[in-house]
Each structure stands twice: as structure tokens, then as C-alpha cells.
Amino acid sequence: MPQLLIELFSEEIPARMQAQAGRDFERMARDRLAAQGLLPEALTTFAGPRRLTLVAEGLPAAQGDRHEELKGPKVGAPDQAIDGFLRKTGLTRDELTQKDGVWFAHIHRAGRPTPEIVAEMVEEIVRTFPWPKSMTWGYGALRWVRPLKRILCVFDGEVVPFSIDGIEAGDTSEGHRFMGSAQPFKARNFDQYAEGLEKHFVVLDPESRRTKILEQAKTLCFARNLELVDDEGLLDEVSGLAEWPTPVLGEMDPAFLDLPPEVIRTSMRTHQKYFAVRDPATGKLAANFVTVANIEAGDGGKAIAAGNARVLSARLNDARFFWDEDRKVKLADRLEKLKGVTFHAKLGTLYERVERITALAGELAPLLGADAEAAKQAGRLCKADLVTGMVGEFPELQGLMGGYYAAAEGLPAPVAEAIRDHYKPQGPTDETPAAPVARALALAEKLDTLVGFFAIDEKPTGSKDPYALRRAALGVIRIVLEGGLRLSLREVFAKAQGLLAVKREGTTDDLLAFFIDRLKVALRDRGLRHDLVEAAVEGDDDLGRIVARVEALSSFLATEDGTNLLAGYKRAGNILKSEEKKGALPSGAPVEMAGAPAQETALVAAISLAEPEVARALQHEDFAGAMRALSGMRTSVDAFFEGVLVNSEVAAERENRLRLLAQVRDAMGKVADFSLVNG
């Protein structure tokens, strides 16, 4: 079947926009083709530095005939309503039919040639493409990310004729800006197009560009007994900067290696898009870098390497200047400057925030087995690096540079480590602080953020989270769980709120609910169900205890005893709810009644055995043991429902059996709220 090939060729597309542009191109084309009844067998897009390409296989030569039935107004509706419906359908009143008192229009549309539909589709896509930023150029009104130069549009080997603001669609593309002949070439299908691009030094597929960069860079390093430092984000970015990516290994002045390695890597990555290189023997950075050129140089890249080395030296000289100058002023002497930096209009200055973090870190430290004075010292200095030259130049190094400067001053190692790590974890793959003082400070920093913004009612809404509060909450959860810490969230929220100048009723309750939602997300990634979190919370605010309960509950419900006991609980709950609607349930404990069925007597005995075992297990937070104790009731509960009629005609029997079911429900409810468990 026919093939459709489209290329939108422009000036350079920013690398950060390319992947999404490819997805948007595919989505918009697929939706518009489907709306016209055209369903390709395969549709693929490619995004690169200067072009968006789409190829669709298996499209029909023409759209099939279509018949539509449109529902109109009721028979007897005002003439205005009927006339409006007629205008919409293009029919006359005589051509309408009625069914069940409603007018219907039956419209037959002959199928159109696919090229005609494609021409309309491409123009609509170009004019409505959702670029994050776009521009106009020359005297035209068309907007595109950068000036649009060419449109290649070919269907079944023939050009689809149309024009968009003077840009005529054709069968012509062009290759690399500098390499090769730099002459346009023609393509009437994807094979010709891909072959033409390769001959003209363009790698079309982003994944192929990525692979080429990675493999060649590693080969260059291996030849010199070096090792490329992995950087997936940078690899993604540079693969969108060059159409014919060519890695080049360069050298830098070894004297710069006395700078902190993070400074060197950040300077390389942020300003120059270079990959760092390490010596595998020592694990330390080597005096080398890998840059990705867009050409194959005749001298093997020597001139490119030398030029890039000079630029890098200039950047690292700046970094050295900041490093040397910053160490001349102690962190403590920088605190006064924080008084002039606003954290938030309603939450005060950075200096006031530091005071809160310091006090909170001091209160948290004893709970974590950390030295309170060290935690307070680290808290007092943790934001001082924000007013250093290095962090001003490289904001992503905040905290890290504070740790280096603290160590250079000779401050205790736990203090320097805490300053360095107090922003951690900043993402799901980031490590959490390991040392007690660092944990105390990291928790204090995040809790101050969370409590502060909740107190001024700046909570996340929908997909919007401008203050990254979800990330902060997940950070707290990870620190607590991975550190095996035991904290009452309500207590630490109260401590943090007590340090704020602003107060809001309900802040603690809102925060606790927010944390439980975040905990569900964290546990879902570990394969645990969100309903089990709800069942295990039971008014608890200790994350470690909640998770232990969830894990035990999950294991219990995976067993046959757990599944059957849950079913028994649900059945008992339904009976009790029904009775509660009629009036209050009978009070008191069930008794062994004379002449009672053996199943009833057995359940009374089973509960009597289980309840003290459950209580002892819960006292020691042995939730698995509590579940085992409950499982001892499973057989008796099953037998009770099979052999005993709860709604006995004898009032005393009925009341005793209701008390028995209430006791089963209450015994299980001490372990978890099984009514919230699905299934």
C-alpha cells in the first residue's frame, strides 16, 4: 500500500525540544488521519537538529465513502432550531427523516483522495504545532520554532501539492550544512530519503546518533586507557546538537584537577557540553574531556580539541578564581548577607529560614541519635554558600560547595557532610544522607519547606507543584524509611510549625494526608497496594510502623488464610452494618451459650486465644506475628458462617452471635482497618 513521507526542514531546533516535538508530530498526524478514516499500518517520526520527519506505511490511496446519521431537534421544535440544523447539514427540510419524534439527517460523503487530506493535515499541523517557544520571520505571519525553510511531502511516489505562506511542498531535502556537496537532493520514498541523508552526512534517527556518540567516545577513551564518565542527560542533549556527531578527545591543563571534581564536571557540562573522563586506575578525573563535533575534521579533530581546550581553560580559570576567593571568607561571616535575600514574602528572609532550620535540626538530632550541637552548627551554615561566587555561577552546586568550604575551614567532618548533603535526596535515584547529623539537617530543611508552604496555603494542586513539595515529602519518606528512623509526623510537624511566624488551623492534618498520599506513591513503586496503606494507617503517624504494618498485611493477604479471613471480615461487617441501621448493636462480650452449635462455641474459643496473642504482638510491633494470630481464627470463622444462622428467631441467640461478629471485627481492626482493603 502507498507510503507517506513528510519532512519539515528548518533552522536549528533546540535539543531540549526535539523529543517532544517528535511525539507531538506523531500524535497530531495520527489523530488527524484517524479522524478521516485513514489508519496507517505503521507511523514513525524522527526529530533532529534541523528536521522533523514522518513516515506512514500502508495508507489507502483514497478515503472510503462515509455515511453519517446526525440527530437533530425534536419534531415540532421551533423553526429557528430546525433551520440551524439544516444549515449545519446542508440539507433541505424534505431530506430529513424522523424517528421516535426526532429529526435525523442522513449524509453521504464521497471519499476524497488521500493526498488532498494530507495537504490539509500538514498545513493544520504546521500552523498549530505546540512548540514551547516559536517565532515569526521576515514579513510572514507563520510561526515555527525557527524559520521553516522546506517542506518535503510525498505520497505514493508523487509530490503532494500545497503551499504554506509561500513555502511550496516538494520532493527535495538537503543534508549536512558543511559536509558533502551541500546540495539539495530529491526523494520520492523513505528509502531514497534515508539513503540521501546518509550520503549527505546526516544521521536521521536520534537513537542512532546517541549510540554513535557513546560508542565512539568510549573507543577514544579506551585507546588512551581512560574511561568515559556516564552522563545520560548530556548524552541525550548532545545527540540533538549534531547531525553527524563526531566525538573528539581533548586534553586540559592538569593543574585544574586540584579543583573539586564537581566544579570541573559542571563547568564542562553546563557551559561546553563536554563529557568528563576518569582514570580507571584511581577513579579520579583525568586531564581530558570528550567534545562532540558536527563534522569529521581532516586532521582527526586536533584543531577542534585544541580550540575547545582553550575555551575550557578560560571557564576553569573563572572557576578557580571563585574557588580561591570564596575560601577567603568564612561561611559564618556570610550569614549577614542572607538577611537581604527573601525566601518567600510570607515566610521571611533566608536568614530567618536558616534560624528555623537550625532550631529544628537541633530538636530532631536527639531523636536520630545525632549530636544536637553539630546539627545546629550545620544548620546555621547550610545556606551560606548561596552567596558565594561559585554557587552564583553554578547554582546546581549549592550545598556541595558549602560542604567543601566547611571542610576547608577545618569544621568537624559531620558538619561539613551535613551541609554537603542537606538537599538530598533530590530525585528518585539520588542517595539519601547516611550520617545521623546529615539526616537531621536534611529532614529539618525539608520539613521547614513543607510546613511553611502548607501554613501559608501554598499546597500543590493537580499537576502544579511550584515549590517541589511532593519531592520534599518523598525525600522525608525516603530518609526515614531507608534510615530505619522512628518519628511521629505530628510531633515533628508541630515542632516545625512552632518556629513559624505564620499559623494556619489544620496544617498538621493537611500535611499528614499529603504524606500518606506520597507514601502510597513510594510503596506502589515497591509493588505494594495503595489500599493497604489506607488500611494500615489507622490513625498512625509513624512512617516506619505504617510500612511494617503494610508489608505484613500484604504478606498475610497473599495467603489462603488471609484471603478467606478477609472474606469473613467483609461478611461480618455487612451483617453488622445492616443491624446498625435498625438500631444499636447489643453491647458486651459474647458468651458460650448452652446448646449453642459447635461452630459458635469454637469461634468464641478461637477469639479468646487470638486476642491476647494479637495484643502481645502489637505491643512489640510484631505485625507479622499479629497476622499469624489472626490466621488462627480463619477455620473457625469459615465454619461459623457455614453452620450458624446469625439471624436466629431466639433473641438471646441472635444478640450473642452479633456480639461475636463484632468481636471478630474489633479483633481484626486492632491490626488494620480491613474494611478499606479491596477484595
Side-chain angles (χ1 to χ4, degrees), residues 262 353 382-383 396-401 404 416-435 437-447 471-480 482:
E262 295 87 355
R353 172 163 158 78
C382 69
K383 302 298 180 183
E396 56 268 53
L397 296 180
Q398 56 188 294
L400 184 71
M401 293 313 302
Y404 275 114
E417 290 172 9
I419 294 172
R420 180 193 66 197
D421 294 342
H422 80 280
Y423 289 104
K424 291 183 176 183
Q426 292 185 288
T429 60
D430 195 15
E431 294 180 351
T432 58
V437 174
R439 284 175 179 163
L441 183 56
L443 285 174
E445 198 269 347
K446 291 166 181 58
L447 288 168
R471 186 177 70 187
L474 283 172
V476 171
I477 290 169
R478 284 189 58 200
I479 292 170
V480 170
E482 292 177 22

Side-chain angles (χ1 to χ4, degrees), residues 518-661:
R518 294 299 92 201
L519 182 62
K520 291 177 188 175
V521 173
L523 295 186
R524 182 179 62 204
D525 294 340
R526 290 165 56 174
L528 295 170
R529 290 159 34 187
H530 68 86
D531 59 316
L532 302 189
V533 179
E534 291 282 5
V537 169
E538 202 181 20
D540 203 343
D541 66 346
D542 184 314
L543 294 173
R545 192 161 53 222
I546 292 171
V547 171
R549 199 187 299 261
V550 170
E551 290 174 340
L553 184 57
S554 179
S555 298
F556 176 60
L557 293 176
T559 66
E560 184 180 355
D561 282 348
T563 301
N564 290 342
L565 193 57
L566 175 63
Y569 177 93
K570 297 279 188 182
R571 189 171 177 182
N574 290 335
I575 293 171
L576 293 171
K577 283 181 183 177
S578 177
E579 291 298 321
E580 284 172 339
K581 290 179 181 178
K582 301 175 186 177
L585 292 172
S587 58
V591 297
E592 294 187 16
M593 298 184 67
Q599 297 94 328
E600 181 177 342
T601 303
L603 182 56
V604 171
I607 295 176
S608 299
L609 287 174
E611 280 188 321
E613 289 184 33
V614 168
R616 280 194 295 271
L618 292 179
Q619 186 176 7
H620 294 92
E621 297 187 6
D622 178 10
F623 301 110
M627 300 294 174
R628 286 194 298 273
L630 289 179
S631 68
M633 299 194 306
R634 176 260 170 120
T635 303
S636 298
V637 170
D638 289 349
F640 177 84
F641 280 118
E642 288 177 7
V644 177
L645 177 65
V646 176
N647 196 17
S648 171
E649 294 180 357
V650 180
E653 291 180 349
R654 176 176 165 276
E655 290 178 1
N656 194 59
R657 290 165 188 173
L658 289 174
R659 284 194 290 267
L660 185 55
L661 292 184

